[in-house]
């Protein structure tokens, strides 16, 4: 979605005159950028010298180092194996090579004056906020004090928060500990326990009986982890001699006892069921995870932290699913003061969508092998004959995705078949748009934020009702938390709400513009056989969908839809007008009487004078110590407001390479919020180097 905004939406905004020359940065995760030093380092690992030269040249001539940019510069797209050789890896420090496009571009994320617009993702925003709130960190990846933060796809924000704050112990690290625990003066053998864990991971992975999140309960493996914990604790042979504490550790880990202690600390937390929830994952990397049970309390704290200095706008087509959206937001997000603004959809569900829900044959979606065969035979094949545009098949499990991939016949359908995981999501999206009759088999990330207007996407197949996996520990926490806040004793009601949000997101992939039309097929006959099915049907009808249980009218619909849409546009009186755009007032200004206003002005004037005295006293001391680089307050005599004072003092500090935030905090105290001062463009351009020296701290 970031690339879509950067490549498509930003150019459109420039054409509309919303902004022109302002700088826009695409801030993606590290592994989306190439490092030239990594190219040099793996020179001999490319399939040929010619291929190495081609990729090296592409990297050196790139402005960003983004994989998508490099793909445009090479004859054949960069393969995953090649990208693994050249990408910036997790934990890799900047290479400081001035010709490295990846590190040079990423350095722009946090310049003294942040970019006008930064297009980032949930995880980087969350991590940046956590870093800013932690006194041990020097700052975030991107600025969290831009003034306005727009969080799109907000219904996924808690999942993103989970991915950022969760603690991890990889299986490989546990194996490393096992090997080292056999050494030293007090050897401990945990190889049997590790073998048992590896076998358990393998069993789950081979069966593929897991959902897309692949979070598994630790119930069956906790006794084994407890054994490992006990044995490793015994490894620490403690002797008290001459008042000193000596810990006997293996030779290989004496140099880094911190890592050894971290593993024991992790095992303690993962086994602490009172404070934390924990799980294992069989995806890459194979690992154990935990988060505190107060997860949603911490999420609320992070949102409130961001809201202190910013206006935050949460956007989502599926933010709520109940009749009381304000209560739902309050309970789920834990926020009190907010403005809720719903907007009507500009699309016509009946004119633009053929909604097909078969009454029979799809009652057992849990039998993935048979379910896949029925989807291909009864839905995919007949739709391909009647709708010539692209098809998106959304799967609820990796197992089902595998069966559909295996059973679908590209030659028989005469269509290109793309499968998530075989290439990067960006590359799959580009190919899907290019081959407008292709079939994309995907899940997770393609359910939300994936936007392909026009003929390239004319049919969306939803493999089953996307109920959350009840055995998922995080889902259990979410359901229990929301049920408690909503005063519900029936957990199913919360699971049902989560399913409706996911279903609406999946259905929303089809219609992306007023001209789009096509078919949505939900391969789940339980809508007609289960008690909750009637509620789903009523929900769909409330959204103006017409439900059909056969494909007999699809050919006619595909022929007549364009004309129906055009006619619908001519008849509607809801034409777009900027004047009619309703933007809610986030914060109303407080009104004062003339007497109150005068008192405020006088009080503000007195405060400014006191701050001027404090600033000039510091200036005299500084100039006495630094005669070659004197501080000057340009325009101080004309200052009448606190905002003007911050500008004058901040500029003065910036010009002498002083930390402006530290200086302003010193002078103004509580009247200054960190991050409020920003040097203007001319000042940044005319000041040599970055502000690194802090005379205040000396």
């Amino acid at each position: 979605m970031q690339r879509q905004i950067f490549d498509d939406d930003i150019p459109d905004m420039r054409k509309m005159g919303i902004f022109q020359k302002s700088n826009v940065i695409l801030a993606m995760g590290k592994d989306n950028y190439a490092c030239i030093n990594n190219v040099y380092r793996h020179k001999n690992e490319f399939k040929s010298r010619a291929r190495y030269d081609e990729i090296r040249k592409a990297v050196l001539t790139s402005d960003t180092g983004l994989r998508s940019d490099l793909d445009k510069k090479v004859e054949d797209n960069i393969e995953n194996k090649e990208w693994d050789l050249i990408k910036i890896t997790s934990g890799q420090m900047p290479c400081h090579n001035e010709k490295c496009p990846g590190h040079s571009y990423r350095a722009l994320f946090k310049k003294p004056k942040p970019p006008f617009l930064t297009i980032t993702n949930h995880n980087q925003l969350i991590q940046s906020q956590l870093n800013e709130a932690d006194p041990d960190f020097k700052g975030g990846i991107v600025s969290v004090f831009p003034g306005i933060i727009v969080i799109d796809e907000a219904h996924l924000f808690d999942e993103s928060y989970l991915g950022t704050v969760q603690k991890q112990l990889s299986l490989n690290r546990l194996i490393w500990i096992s090997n080292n625990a056999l050494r030293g003066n007090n050897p401990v053998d945990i190889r049997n326990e590790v073998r048992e864990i590896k076998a358990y991971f393998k069993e789950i992975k081979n069966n593929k009986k897991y959902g897309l999140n692949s979070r598994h309960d630790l119930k069956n493996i906790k006794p084994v982890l407890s054994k490992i914990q006990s044995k490793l604790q015994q490894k620490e042979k403690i002797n008290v001699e001459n008042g000193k504490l000596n810990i006997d550790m293996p030779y290989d880990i004496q140099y880094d006892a911190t890592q050894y202690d971290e593993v024991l600390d992790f095992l303690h937390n993962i086994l602490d069921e009172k404070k934390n929830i924990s799980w294992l994952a069989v995806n890459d990397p194979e690992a154990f995870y935990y988060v505190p049970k107060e997860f949603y309390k911490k999420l609320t704290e992070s949102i409130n932290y961001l809201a202190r200095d910013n206006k935050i706008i949460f956007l989502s087509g599926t933010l709520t699913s109940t009749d009381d959206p304000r209560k739902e937001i309050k309970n789920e997000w834990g926020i009190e003061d907010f403005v809720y603004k719903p907007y009507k959809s500009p699309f016509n569900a009946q004119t633009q969508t053929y909604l097909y829900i078969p009454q029979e044959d799809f009652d057992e979606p849990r039998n993935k092998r048979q379910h896949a065969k029925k989807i291909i035979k009864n839905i995919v094949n007949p739709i391909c004959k009647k709708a010539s545009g692209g098809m998106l098949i959304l799967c609820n499990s990796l197992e089902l995705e595998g069966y559909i991939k295996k059973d679908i016949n590209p030659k028989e359908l005469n269509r290109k078949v793309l499968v998530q995981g075989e290439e990067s999501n960006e590359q799959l999206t580009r190919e899907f748009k290019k081959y407008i009759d292709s079939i994309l088999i995907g899940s997770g990330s393609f359910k939300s934020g994936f936007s392909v207007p026009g003929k390239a996407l004319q049919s969306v197949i939803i493999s089953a009702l996307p109920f959350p996996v009840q055995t998922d520990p995080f889902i259990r926490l979410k359901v229990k938390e929301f049920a408690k806040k909503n005063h519900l004793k029936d957990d199913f009601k919360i699971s049902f709400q989560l399913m409706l949000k996911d279903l609406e997101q999946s259905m929303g992939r089809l219609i992306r513009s007023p001209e789009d039309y096509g078919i949505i097929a939900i391969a789940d006959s339980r809508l007609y056989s289960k008690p909750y099915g009637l509620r789903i049907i009523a929900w769909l009808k409330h959204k103006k969908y017409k439900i059909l249980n056969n494909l007999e009218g699809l050919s006619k619909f595909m022929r007549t839809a364009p004309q129906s849409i055009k006619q619908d546009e001519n008849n509607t009186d809801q034409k777009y007008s900027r004047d009619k755009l309703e933007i809610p007032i986030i914060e109303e200004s407080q009104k004062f009487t003339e007497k109150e206003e005068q008192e405020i002005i006088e009080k503000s004037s007195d405060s400014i004078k006191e701050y001027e005295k404090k600033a000039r006293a510091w200036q005299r001391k500084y100039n006495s110590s630094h005669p070659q680089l004197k501080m000057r307050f340009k325009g101080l005599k004309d200052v009448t407001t606190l905002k003007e004072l911050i500008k004058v003092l901040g500029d003065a500090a910036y010009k002498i390479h002083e930390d402006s935030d530290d200086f302003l905090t010193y002078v103004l105290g509580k009247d200054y919020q960190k991050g409020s001062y920003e040097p203007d463009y001319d000042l940044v351009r005319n000041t040599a180097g970055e502000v690194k020296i802090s005379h205040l701290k000396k």
Side-chain angles (χ1 to χ4, degrees):
M1 191 170 89
Q2 286 177 264
R3 288 253 36 141
Q4 175 194 317
I5 295 172
F6 189 73
D7 292 338
D8 301 332
D9 299 338
I10 294 302
D12 288 343
M13 292 171 73
R14 293 191 193 278
K15 290 177 183 177
M16 294 166 66
I18 295 176
F19 62 87
Q20 293 295 331
K21 297 181 180 179
S22 301
N23 55 332
V24 180
I25 293 294
L26 179 60
M28 303 182 78
K30 273 187 175 182
D31 59 2
N32 288 281
Y33 302 87
C35 171
I36 189 62
N37 282 5
N38 289 347
V39 177
Y40 295 146
R41 190 178 297 116
H42 297 103
K43 176 179 179 179
N44 298 323
E45 297 179 49
F46 292 91
K47 58 185 178 183
S48 68
R49 177 58 187 266
R51 183 61 171 174
Y52 161 74
D53 287 337
E54 184 184 21
I55 290 178
R56 177 180 58 82
K57 183 179 179 181
V59 174
L60 288 172
T61 57
S62 171
D63 293 328
T64 65
L66 283 160
R67 182 174 182 173
S68 54
D69 290 345
L70 300 182
D71 280 339
K72 298 174 185 176
K73 295 175 177 288
V74 296
E75 187 173 341
D76 295 320
N77 290 324
I78 295 175
E79 298 176 359
N80 289 340
K81 289 182 180 179
E82 293 174 324
W83 185 249
D84 288 340
L85 298 176
I86 69 175
K87 70 181 180 181
I88 301 176
T89 57
S90 177
Q92 180 180 341
M93 298 299 292
C95 66
H96 300 296
N97 186 328
E98 61 181 14
K99 294 183 179 180
C100 179
H103 282 113
S104 297
Y105 189 74
R106 287 181 60 80
L108 300 175
F109 295 0
K110 282 275 293 185
K111 280 290 186 182
K113 180 179 175 65
F116 170 77
L117 178 61
T118 298
I119 305 169
T120 187
N121 55 50
H122 288 183
N123 296 91
Q124 284 193 147
L125 174 66
I126 293 164
Q127 190 60 63
S128 297
Q129 179 274 313
L130 294 172
N131 289 358
E132 286 287 352
D134 190 334
D136 293 332
F137 282 89
K138 295 182 179 179
I141 305 164
V142 297
S143 174
V144 295
F145 303 110
I148 298 175
I149 297 176
V150 180
I151 300 175
D152 200 5
E153 306 296 346
H155 58 282
L156 297 175
F157 198 63
D158 63 340
E159 279 279 355
S160 300
Y161 197 82
L162 174 72
T164 305
V165 303
Q166 64 188 9
K167 302 298 183 182
Q168 170 192 311
L169 173 65
S170 70
L171 183 57
N172 285 337
R173 193 174 179 192
L174 193 60
I175 293 170
W176 180 84
I177 286 290
S178 174
N179 293 334
N180 282 278
L182 286 166
R183 303 174 185 177
N185 299 324
N186 189 22
V188 171
D189 190 351
I190 59 173
R191 289 177 297 179
N192 286 337
E193 286 80 6
V194 170
R195 277 195 289 267
E196 192 173 342
I197 290 173
K198 288 173 67 177
Y200 188 66
F201 271 85
K202 187 176 181 180
E203 178 186 346
I204 295 173
K205 198 166 187 177
N206 287 345
N207 288 338
K208 294 186 179 179
K209 301 290 185 182
Y210 53 90
L212 296 168
N213 291 328
S214 62
R215 290 186 289 254
H216 297 267
D217 199 300
L218 287 174
K219 184 178 180 180
N220 296 333
I221 210 73
K222 277 191 174 181
V224 182
L225 291 171
S226 184
K227 284 184 182 179
I228 292 175
Q229 182 189 33
S230 298
K231 288 188 176 183
L232 291 180
Q233 286 172 340
Q234 294 173 16
K235 179 67 181 174
E236 295 182 321
K237 182 180 178 182
I238 301 175
N239 299 311
V240 180
E241 297 177 359
N242 300 323
K244 294 182 179 180
L245 182 66
N246 301 311
I247 302 178
D248 178 27
M249 290 188 177
Y251 173 77
D252 283 9
I253 54 178
Q254 283 180 3
Y255 74 93
D256 194 358
T258 303
Q259 288 196 33
Y260 189 75
D261 289 339
E262 282 177 355
V263 171
L264 280 171
D265 182 62
F266 184 93
L267 290 172
H268 169 76
N269 281 297
I270 205 171
L271 294 168
D272 189 347
E273 297 180 357
K274 291 183 178 179
K275 292 184 178 180
N276 305 310
I277 60 165
S278 53
W279 65 90
L280 64 85
V282 297
N283 53 337
D284 187 23
E286 296 178 326
F288 300 98
Y289 299 86
Y290 77 86
V291 292
K293 285 187 173 180
E294 290 188 335
F295 171 82
Y296 278 96
K297 179 182 177 182
K298 294 184 178 297
L299 173 60
T300 302
E301 290 173 356
S302 287
I303 293 172
N304 288 332
Y305 182 94
L306 290 172
R308 291 188 316 176
D309 302 296
N310 304 288
K311 294 291 188 292
I312 304 180
I313 302 171
F314 289 102
L315 296 176
S316 174
T318 56
L319 196 58
T320 63
S321 61
T322 66
D323 295 331
D324 192 347
R326 288 175 177 81
K327 180 183 177 183
E328 188 177 346
I329 292 171
K330 181 179 177 181
N331 288 339
E332 293 190 12
W333 296 76
I335 52 179
E336 298 286 341
D337 300 322
F338 62 89
V339 174
Y340 174 73
K341 182 64 180 177
Y343 291 91
K344 291 183 179 180
S345 172
F347 308 138
N348 187 322
Q350 291 192 25
T351 306
Q352 297 180 258
T353 305
Y354 189 102
L355 179 57
Y356 169 51
I357 306 176
Q359 283 186 313
E360 299 175 346
D361 295 330
F362 295 95
D363 288 304
E364 291 295 333
R366 292 183 181 180
N367 186 336
K368 301 294 190 295
R369 186 187 297 273
Q370 292 300 318
H371 194 59
K373 290 182 181 297
K374 290 177 180 178
I375 288 175
I376 294 170
K377 180 182 177 182
N378 300 329
I379 295 180
V380 174
N381 291 350
I383 288 178
C384 282
K385 294 177 181 178
K386 299 181 179 185
S388 59
M391 174 182 289
L392 174 64
I393 304 176
L394 293 172
C395 300
N396 290 339
S397 76
L398 300 178
E399 182 187 12
L400 180 65
E401 186 179 294
Y403 283 132
I404 292 177
K405 173 187 173 182
K406 179 182 176 183
D407 294 340
I408 203 166
N409 191 331
K411 290 184 179 179
E412 181 183 329
L413 297 171
N414 194 27
R415 296 192 181 211
K416 186 178 181 66
V417 175
L418 306 167
V419 182
Q420 186 175 3
E422 293 184 349
E423 296 179 273
S424 70
N425 286 358
E426 283 187 35
Q427 181 59 25
L428 286 173
T429 302
R430 284 199 296 273
E431 290 192 47
F432 187 64
K433 290 179 179 179
K434 179 180 178 181
Y435 302 99
I436 59 174
D437 61 349
S438 58
I439 297 173
L440 174 56
I441 306 171
S443 53
S445 56
F446 287 104
K447 289 184 177 183
S448 183
F450 180 64
S451 183
V452 180
K455 191 176 179 181
L457 179 51
Q458 282 194 329
S459 54
V460 173
I461 316 302
I462 300 170
S463 63
L465 292 172
F467 279 104
V469 181
Q470 295 303 308
T471 56
D472 183 330
F474 178 65
I475 292 297
R476 285 207 302 266
L477 174 70
K478 179 187 283 193
V479 169
K480 187 175 292 185
E481 185 79 12
F482 292 174
K484 180 175 65 177
K485 289 181 177 179
N486 285 281
H487 306 289
L488 296 175
K489 294 183 179 180
D490 183 5
D491 290 350
F492 178 76
K493 289 184 178 180
I494 299 298
S495 294
F496 186 77
Q497 290 175 17
L498 296 176
M499 183 277 294
L500 289 182
K501 290 181 183 180
D502 199 347
L503 178 61
E504 189 168 11
Q505 274 293 322
S506 299
M507 295 175 69
R509 296 315 96 209
L510 180 66
I511 306 301
R512 309 303 299 172
S513 77
E515 295 79 28
D516 284 351
Y517 61 93
I519 176 174
I520 297 173
I522 303 176
D524 199 326
S525 302
R526 292 179 297 178
L527 275 85
Y528 303 101
S529 60
K530 298 291 184 181
Y532 56 75
L534 292 175
R535 293 167 60 189
I536 299 172
I537 290 172
W539 176 78
L540 290 168
K541 289 182 177 179
H542 177 71
K543 294 185 174 294
K544 309 301 182 184
Y545 284 102
K546 182 180 179 181
I547 301 172
L548 302 160
N549 51 38
N550 61 71
L551 294 171
E552 293 174 5
L554 179 58
S555 295
K556 181 180 178 182
F557 172 83
M558 297 301 290
R559 288 196 310 271
T560 59
Q563 186 61 36
S564 299
I565 292 170
K566 189 174 181 180
Q567 200 171 28
D568 193 48
E569 287 178 350
N570 293 333
N571 293 334
T572 183
D573 58 354
Q574 293 186 358
K575 302 294 184 182
Y576 170 77
S577 171
R578 191 177 183 85
D579 296 334
K580 294 180 180 180
L581 184 63
E582 296 181 29
I583 301 175
I585 298 173
I586 304 293
E587 182 178 339
E588 294 186 7
S589 300
Q590 188 175 356
K591 294 183 179 180
F592 300 98
T593 64
E594 289 185 10
K595 183 179 179 181
E596 288 173 332
E597 285 182 350
Q598 187 59 37
E599 289 176 353
I600 291 170
I601 291 170
E602 291 174 358
K603 185 177 179 181
S604 175
S605 179
D606 292 340
S607 299
I608 288 173
K609 288 178 182 178
E610 288 299 318
Y611 292 144
E612 285 182 12
K613 288 180 183 179
K614 194 172 182 181
R616 289 199 181 279
W618 193 89
Q619 178 196 32
R620 287 192 292 271
K621 290 181 180 179
Y622 176 86
N623 289 349
S624 176
S625 303
H626 305 84
Q628 295 86 9
L629 190 65
K630 289 187 176 182
M631 172 182 270
R632 292 178 174 84
F633 296 135
K634 186 178 179 180
L636 185 59
K637 64 179 181 179
D638 299 322
V639 165
T640 58
T641 66
L642 186 63
K643 185 177 180 180
E644 292 173 346
L645 181 64
I646 289 173
K647 181 71 170 69
V648 170
L649 299 185
D651 284 353
Y654 189 88
K655 288 177 181 177
I656 61 169
H657 298 276
E658 179 58 71
D659 189 306
S660 300
D661 275 337
D662 284 350
F663 178 62
L664 287 164
T665 301
Y666 168 78
V667 175
L668 305 178
K670 293 181 179 179
D671 277 348
Y672 178 73
Q673 291 184 333
K674 186 177 179 181
S676 298
Y677 167 78
E678 292 182 358
D680 57 41
Y681 175 74
D682 288 334
L683 188 61
V684 175
R685 183 183 63 184
N686 296 327
T687 303
E690 296 181 2
V691 180
K692 295 180 179 178
I693 305 167
S694 178
H695 301 290
L696 279 171
K697 296 178 181 178
K698 290 187 177 181

